[in-house]
Amino acid sequence: FGVLKADISSTMAEQNLEKAIVREPNIAQIYAVMGVVRALRGMFDESLVAFDKALELNDSLAIAYMWKSNSLVALQRFDEAVLAQQKARELDPLFISNSYNLATLLYWQGQFEEAIIIFNKLAEDHPLSSLPYEGISGLHFNRGNYVAAISNIKKAIALSPENEALKTK
């Protein structure tokens, strides 16, 4: 994520993942990371195989469901992505990305009421995070409520002034 180029980090990760599988073939996290590496390489079907292996070994590994959801989105399998993200949130409700990603998927599917409930709860539970306000802004923008979109993106920027990406939204 900006420290190393994706192809370099993916190659390094793959080399270490192969060693890890030989040593400890039943650790779910190894396959979950393998799924991320494959997704970074654009190999989304192969990433799903790795995530499924991780979840076969540990069906409580919330991060594997979240990462699997991302690959399902890339494959435009949105209903399955929502289900995977719901499972991730169910298993790890305190991880803000699980709720944020679920709300985003829901509003992409036109389930605005459900999405706004999740975003508002995130704002309540994480008042110092820019994520809820970024999500609320996107939802309002997509619904044509530009005043609310601008108001919420301003809140997000105020909470995370170093985040240049927010300033371009």
Side-chain angles (χ1 to χ4, degrees), residues 60-73:
S60 296
L61 188 59
I63 196 76
Y65 285 102
M66 185 184 84
W67 291 336
K68 180 178 180 177
S69 176
N70 294 338
S71 287
L72 289 164
V73 167

Side-chain angles (χ1 to χ4, degrees), residues 85 89 95-107 118-119 122 130-136 169:
Q85 194 59 56
R89 184 173 182 237
F95 186 40
I96 192 170
S97 294
N98 285 335
S99 293
Y100 177 84
N101 291 349
L102 177 58
T104 300
L105 285 171
L106 291 172
Y107 93 69
I118 294 170
F119 283 136
L122 278 176
S130 63
L131 278 178
Y133 301 104
E134 182 180 355
I136 293 168
K169 292 193 177 223

Side-chain angles (χ1 to χ4, degrees), residues 4-63:
L4 290 174
K5 291 183 179 180
D7 59 331
I8 294 170
S9 60
S10 294
T11 299
M12 291 171 60
E14 286 171 337
Q15 292 167 354
N16 288 305
L17 288 168
E18 289 173 19
K19 292 175 189 174
I21 289 171
V22 169
R23 291 183 184 137
E24 296 289 341
N26 294 318
I27 295 179
Q29 290 86 344
I30 296 169
Y31 297 95
V33 172
M34 181 184 294
V36 171
V37 171
R38 289 178 177 167
L40 286 173
R41 292 197 179 274
M43 302 165 56
F44 299 108
D45 287 316
E46 293 86 348
S47 74
L48 293 178
V49 172
F51 294 132
D52 287 342
K53 176 66 175 177
L55 295 168
E56 175 186 313
L57 293 169
N58 179 356
D59 66 353
S60 296
L61 188 59
I63 196 76

Side-chain angles (χ1 to χ4, degrees), residues 145-162:
N145 186 346
Y146 303 121
V147 172
I150 291 168
S151 172
N152 280 283
I153 203 65
K154 284 183 176 182
K155 288 178 188 175
I157 291 168
L159 289 166
S160 189
E162 73 287 347

